[in-house]
Amino acid sequence: MGNRAAEFSRGYRSRALIWCLTLSAALALALAASAGAAEAAVTVTVLGQPAPVTATPVVQDGILFVAARDLTGPLGFGLRYEPGPPKSIVVSGSGEISLRVGDVTIRTPTRDIRSPAAPFISSGGAFMVPVRGFCRAVGAAAVWESQASRLSICARLTDLRVAPEDGRVVLAADTTFPVPFQTTSDATPRALLTLKGCVLDLERPEFPVRAWGIEEVHASQASSAPVEVRVAVTLSKPKPVAVLSQNPSAQVRVQIGVPEDISQPPVLPRLLKLCFARNQMDEAELRVVADAPIGPYSTLLVGRPARLMIDVGDVIMEIGEVARDIPDALVTRVTASQKTGGPFVARIVLNLVGVSPYSSALEAGGKELVIRFAKAPVTGRVVVVDAGHGGEDPGAVGPSGLKEKDVNLDVAMRLQKMLLDSGINAFATRTSDVLIPLYQRAELANDLAAEVFVSVHSNAWVTPNARQGSEVWYGNDYSLALAHVAQDELVRRLRRRDGGVHRNIRLVVTRETGMPAIIAELAYINHKDEESLLASSEFRQLAASALCAAIVRYLESTPPPEQVPAAPGSREATPERGAAQEVEGE
Amino acid sequence: MKKLVVALGVLVLAGAGAAGYYVSVRPARPALEAPQSPPLHPQPTPSTNYKVTIYLPDPESREGLLVPLTRTVPEPPTPAIALELLLKGPQAEERASAIFPEGTRVLGAEVKGGVATVNLSKEFREHFPAGTMAATVTLYCIVNTLTELPEVRAVRLQVEGKDLKTLGEMDVSQPLIRDEGLIERTRR
């Protein structure tokens, strides 16, 4: 077991941290339960080899302690005792770390690590160190199997790749300590590499290669005896496998195939960035940019909530996971992630305001996938504008006597005119100071087969002068997109407090209408500040323009009914690589 | 909820570990003994008070409109008791508004087949607030408060003994069920 080049300097990764946390939690509980009875039966394995202990491991306050000398020897470290006080040890590899009795801090060349417990001297005189903290400091990982009372101190697999090295195609596995390994191959055809006494610490344990006759690499963890990492390399046809490194090794190199294979260059495109912007035609446009021609891709538009799913096959996501909100009239959010466990697909999802018509094309020599949303026309589409209350029903009344019904009517009339000017076929439920029954208002919109119903209201709190702001109310899920667009426009243009979007299934006009329907509450008429705003012509004009913009934005993002694609579920939602609808190649 | 499950899980695990130790191991090593924990369910004393959760609206709210508030009563709560607590409104230090229209009296409240029928005086309808927000929070403070009681699944409203069909701009002809979406999220 010579040549133990321990690497203290390696950054400690989150994945390994999770390992250690879970493991030590399990360890603590399991050992607490079994400590006394099964103490003598605890076995320690270090880097895949049995490591007899000279001092019995103990648990104190749920933390496992092992004699330092029982770990340092098998891991290939030097160990020096300092008499103190306090007594301390220095563990030496390529650098030095020190642990002191009664001190939770473990000093390493790069940083100090705070261990959950401090070392102590056992009754037998052994320098006992907390296993978790010790492993963190030296770049190892601890695995506790409670059933077998077995503690495994493992190396971490920090890099796994298939790449040309010295004129050969090589599977390279880098670990924090030298580990024993073995290779086999089977008829699948696959080459298999087993790294003993090792745990996974990889960002991508599975990845495609698609070059040199190698399809994919899958690394998996065996977390019970023996603790090992199994790497499977799927091949397009059987190939010879040759070990290039000594055994054990911290840099395992396995040649796959013959040197001639290297003449075939790698082909997998890497996804470099996602760009969302409005183009010169004011169309919303997403560009998926790769460094090589993009292969098969598929798109799928689903409704409720409306979103476009774009699957790009056989790419490497260089950009990592993406989740970003977009301030756009049509698209609200983009997310992207690499799917694993099946075909290697980068899935990009655009959350949409409505089920917008779109087109997709490969540009820039196939290296850019462009998704374009054409705006739906708004001309001639039917919208119903409803001025709340009226006649004998004044609605809410402000502190100085302003009646809600009058504000609502004025704003609704302004809105109707703006909509008509935009080419929208806008109807009003009332154009004068009369009371139209609630059910009749909804019926009008249903009879007209309107696409949007907007009821203009002014709000009131239970007590005067207590609450302010703009709010939108809705009753059905299919009205939610319209509600959010309206709230967005109201808050942006009226600059009142954002009172939020709220649902009340009992409100008659949004309950009885069969199309997206909202109640827009411009401001609080029973608050004196907002009452005076609602009394002003400028504010009313602004409110009407906010609602007009919202309606136009919503209609542009939602094709007229006859163009609406089939409901979700009627089309396959998880496209296979190269087998989905609308697949286009270069 | 998830947090609660996790917390319970941890408790159970910790308990199991400690218990296992007690059973199987010599109890001579104090460092490994289970910590003393208080009993999970304190025994109620015979003269105990009862806790009632009522909902009142928060004028500053943006998401959850209704705030759950705790009241203590000396007898097991009934719909009538819960309604009287609602009528009393918020206490001085609470950031919430009173909801009942002026002059409203509770004429009766009885539960049958899981539906609480609430009979209110005519002022409730006459002075019921216009304004979608005021109307919504008034209605759902009543519904959510009453459905806190285990025997109440839905609420039917009456004014002067007659079933209400509409209330303000709302259709209340069917029994009203609880709306969790209106409750302040952090305390839900």
Side-chain angles (χ1 to χ4, degrees):
Chain A
M1 305 282 272
N3 185 29
R4 297 270 185 242
E7 293 177 41
F8 295 145
S9 55
R10 244 181 222 285
Y12 190 76
R13 294 198 195 176
S14 57
R15 190 182 298 274
L17 178 64
I18 292 165
W19 258 104
C20 281
L21 286 177
T22 22
L23 293 169
S24 47
L27 193 123
L29 293 169
L31 274 194
S34 60
E39 227 167 47
V42 171
T43 59
V44 179
T45 303
V46 179
L47 304 178
Q49 305 288 344
V53 291
T54 57
T56 311
V58 294
V59 175
Q60 287 201 353
D61 293 338
I63 291 163
L64 177 69
F65 291 80
V66 176
R69 61 177 181 246
D70 291 336
L71 298 176
T72 53
L75 284 171
F77 294 130
L79 176 62
R80 192 169 79 239
Y81 291 91
E82 306 274 349
K87 288 184 177 175
S88 63
I89 53 166
V90 174
V91 178
S92 52
S94 62
E96 291 191 336
I97 65 168
S98 63
L99 296 92
R100 286 197 296 186
V101 166
D103 187 353
V104 294
T105 306
I106 302 175
R107 290 172 179 79
T108 80
T110 48
R111 65 197 188 104
D112 289 353
I113 289 170
R114 208 181 141 79
S115 170
F120 66 94
I121 307 295
S122 74
S123 52
F127 194 99
M128 306 298 281
V129 293
V131 168
R132 175 186 158 198
F134 181 84
C135 284
R136 277 187 67 182
V138 302
V143 180
W144 170 250
E145 297 162 68
S146 57
Q147 294 296 313
S149 291
R150 190 200 320 262
L151 172 68
S152 302
I153 305 295
C154 300
R156 293 186 285 116
L157 175 61
T158 52
D159 193 18
L160 182 66
R161 60 190 183 274
V162 172
E165 256 182 40
D166 304 328
R168 295 173 283 209
V169 178
V170 167
L171 170 68
D174 292 348
T175 53
T176 53
F177 290 90
V179 291
F181 62 91
Q182 67 183 49
T183 58
T184 50
S185 47
D186 66 18
T188 306
R190 280 194 308 182
L192 302 161
L193 167 67
T194 306
L195 301 163
K196 295 182 191 303
C198 190
V199 297
L200 272 179
D201 185 16
L202 297 173
E203 295 284 333
R204 267 200 298 261
E206 304 177 332
F207 55 89
V209 180
R210 313 265 187 259
W212 312 302
I214 298 170
E215 291 294 322
E216 297 166 0
V217 176
H218 293 261
S220 60
Q221 179 78 54
S223 51
S224 62
V227 179
E228 58 191 24
V229 170
R230 292 163 193 166
V231 181
V233 182
T234 13
L235 308 170
S236 49
K237 59 173 195 246
K239 284 177 178 296
V241 172
V243 174
L244 303 176
S245 48
Q246 58 172 311
N247 198 350
S249 174
Q251 290 169 312
V252 177
R253 298 292 181 271
V254 178
Q255 179 186 339
I256 294 175
V258 290
E260 292 77 65
D261 287 343
I262 209 162
S263 57
Q264 310 159 15
V267 291
L268 274 194
R270 290 177 308 162
L271 208 159
L272 301 180
K273 57 183 176 179
L274 296 176
C275 310
F276 184 88
R278 285 272 166 172
N279 66 14
Q280 286 159 341
M281 307 283 290
D282 197 30
E283 294 166 326
E285 196 177 86
L286 176 78
R287 278 180 185 269
V288 181
V289 181
D291 66 348
I294 290 170
Y297 74 89
S298 65
T299 58
L300 179 65
L301 187 64
V302 297
R304 291 183 194 180
R307 57 204 191 281
L308 180 67
M309 300 198 286
I310 306 145
D311 280 2
V312 183
D314 278 351
V315 293
I316 310 254
M317 288 251 324
E318 280 294 307
I319 48 174
E321 302 248 318
V322 175
R324 194 151 45 99
D325 286 325
I326 293 176
D328 188 84
L330 284 164
V331 180
T332 57
R333 190 172 168 79
V334 59
T335 52
S337 58
Q338 181 125 34
K339 292 206 304 184
T340 53
F344 290 95
V345 170
R347 169 162 290 183
I348 302 155
V349 180
L350 291 174
N351 291 20
L352 309 174
V353 172
V355 279
S356 310
Y358 69 97
S359 63
S360 62
L362 286 171
E363 295 181 359
K367 292 180 183 174
E368 293 185 12
L369 168 61
V370 184
I371 307 289
R372 254 184 221 105
F373 294 90
K375 288 179 183 174
V378 298
T379 310
R381 295 170 73 178
V382 179
V383 169
V384 168
V385 178
D386 172 49
H389 308 281
E392 68 223 48
D393 171 16
V397 181
S400 65
L402 182 66
K403 292 191 176 93
E404 188 195 343
K405 64 173 184 176
D406 299 328
V407 177
N408 298 351
L409 180 63
D410 189 22
V411 174
M413 290 299 94
R414 290 169 194 258
L415 173 58
Q416 186 189 21
K417 181 172 185 307
M418 287 179 196
L419 291 171
L420 290 170
D421 289 347
S422 310
I424 293 169
N425 205 359
F427 292 84
T429 53
R430 69 180 178 101
T431 56
S432 62
D433 186 17
V434 292
L435 181 60
I436 312 286
L438 294 171
Y439 293 88
Q440 208 170 305
R441 299 176 194 230
E443 210 172 296
L444 174 75
N446 291 341
D447 290 349
L448 288 167
E451 287 183 62
V452 169
F453 178 94
V454 173
S455 187
V456 180
H457 276 249
S458 309
N459 220 341
W461 185 246
V462 284
T463 51
N465 302 321
R467 186 178 169 96
Q468 303 187 55
S470 304
E471 284 155 19
V472 171
W473 291 77
Y474 71 101
N476 301 300
D477 286 342
Y478 55 77
S479 303
L480 190 59
L482 174 64
H484 278 289
V485 173
Q487 177 70 5
D488 181 51
E489 292 291 341
L490 283 174
V491 169
R492 211 139 47 87
R493 293 176 189 239
L494 297 182
R495 298 180 174 280
R496 303 311 300 162
R497 181 175 176 273
D498 181 356
V501 169
H502 302 283
R503 177 181 162 109
N504 179 346
I505 56 167
R506 296 280 165 179
L507 292 162
V508 172
V509 289
T510 50
R511 181 188 175 92
E512 301 295 324
T513 36
M515 74 290 307
I518 55 166
I519 294 177
E521 300 279 358
L522 310 175
Y524 275 78
I525 198 171
N526 77 339
H527 190 288
K528 57 184 189 328
D529 297 348
E530 294 199 336
E531 181 193 26
S532 60
L533 283 175
L534 286 165
S536 78
S537 171
E538 295 77 15
F539 190 83
R540 293 176 182 185
Q541 186 71 9
L542 212 54
S545 68
L547 292 175
C548 180
I551 292 166
V552 167
R553 196 176 139 184
Y554 180 76
L555 289 176
E556 280 181 348
S557 70
T558 314
E562 61 275 14
Q563 289 178 27
V564 173
S570 63
R571 296 167 87 182
E572 182 57 56
T574 49
E576 294 294 318
R577 178 155 47 97
Q581 67 289 341
E582 291 187 32
V583 168
E584 298 165 36
E586 173 64 337
Chain B
M1 190 61 198
K2 201 174 265 178
K3 262 185 197 156
L4 182 65
V5 171
V6 171
L8 277 176
V10 168
L11 270 178
V12 167
L13 278 173
Y21 173 76
Y22 260 128
V23 174
S24 63
V25 189
R26 28 178 196 174
R29 199 187 292 162
L32 280 173
E33 264 178 42
Q36 289 296 315
S37 57
L40 286 176
H41 302 288
Q43 293 296 309
T45 47
S47 64
T48 191
N49 289 323
Y50 293 85
K51 286 213 183 317
V52 184
T53 300
I54 66 167
Y55 291 91
L56 286 173
D58 175 3
E60 303 291 319
S61 61
R62 192 183 168 275
E63 305 272 326
L65 301 171
L66 310 185
V67 184
L69 300 168
T70 307
R71 298 286 185 265
T72 309
V73 292
E75 52 192 311
T78 62
I81 288 170
L83 287 168
E84 288 302 331
L85 291 171
L86 268 185
L87 261 178
K88 282 191 189 124
Q91 289 165 1
E93 74 282 5
E94 290 171 342
R95 196 182 72 186
S97 302
I99 52 150
F100 272 109
E102 214 182 321
T104 303
R105 284 165 296 127
V106 179
L107 302 179
E110 58 182 41
V111 185
K112 204 171 173 183
V115 179
T117 301
V118 176
N119 187 11
L120 300 167
S121 65
K122 63 181 188 305
E123 290 85 356
F124 181 70
R125 181 163 211 183
E126 282 168 7
H127 299 144
F128 191 76
T132 306
M133 176 58 88
T136 303
V137 296
T138 301
L139 181 68
Y140 279 97
C141 280
I142 298 173
V143 174
N144 284 7
T145 296
L146 292 178
T147 50
E148 279 285 319
L149 302 171
E151 69 272 26
V152 178
R153 282 184 284 115
V155 177
R156 190 189 291 280
L157 290 180
Q158 291 182 337
V159 163
E160 304 289 338
K162 282 180 153 174
D163 284 355
L164 278 184
K165 294 276 180 286
T166 61
L167 181 63
E169 305 220 303
M170 299 178 287
D171 184 324
V172 293
S173 56
Q174 300 298 313
L176 300 146
I177 55 164
R178 186 179 179 82
D179 190 337
E180 290 284 335
L182 294 174
I183 299 171
E184 188 174 290
R185 203 163 299 201
T186 52
R187 292 188 240 178
R188 202 177 292 172

